[in-house]
Amino acid sequence: MRRKFNMTKLCERLFLASVFFFLYLPIFFMIVFSFNESKTVGNWTGFSLKWYEKLLSNTNIQQAFFFTIGFATCAILFSLIFGTI
């Protein structure tokens, strides 16, 4: 039995693929260029973890991170308790 070619199904799949492509492409570039040694995005000077070292050594960012984790944990616990009631 031959399957019939469905142009609508093809267009839907192409549209969905293009949406995902344009949504995830900027995220991919941000990940790649986050390892750039240079301060500017357009100038690739080499692979480096310098910006992640600065990020992890900043106490304000560490405090914000732990606050966010604590707040998210409380939100999960409250939603778990009230959701089961």
Side-chain angles (χ1 to χ4, degrees), residues 10-74:
L10 177 67
C11 288
E12 288 174 357
R13 289 184 179 178
L14 284 175
F15 177 74
L16 185 63
S18 64
V19 166
F20 281 128
F21 178 75
F22 285 113
L23 281 176
Y24 287 113
L25 188 66
I27 296 171
F28 173 74
F29 277 111
M30 289 298 294
I31 290 170
V32 169
F33 281 104
S34 72
F35 295 104
N36 189 4
E37 189 176 19
S38 175
K39 284 186 176 182
T40 60
V41 176
N43 186 15
W44 182 266
T45 58
F47 181 83
S48 174
L49 295 173
K50 174 175 78 171
W51 300 115
Y52 286 101
E53 291 172 7
K54 288 188 177 198
L55 176 74
L56 295 175
S57 65
N58 190 337
T59 57
N60 290 334
I61 292 178
Q62 288 176 353
Q63 288 174 349
F65 175 75
F66 289 124
F67 177 77
T68 303
I69 295 299
F71 188 78
T73 304
C74 290

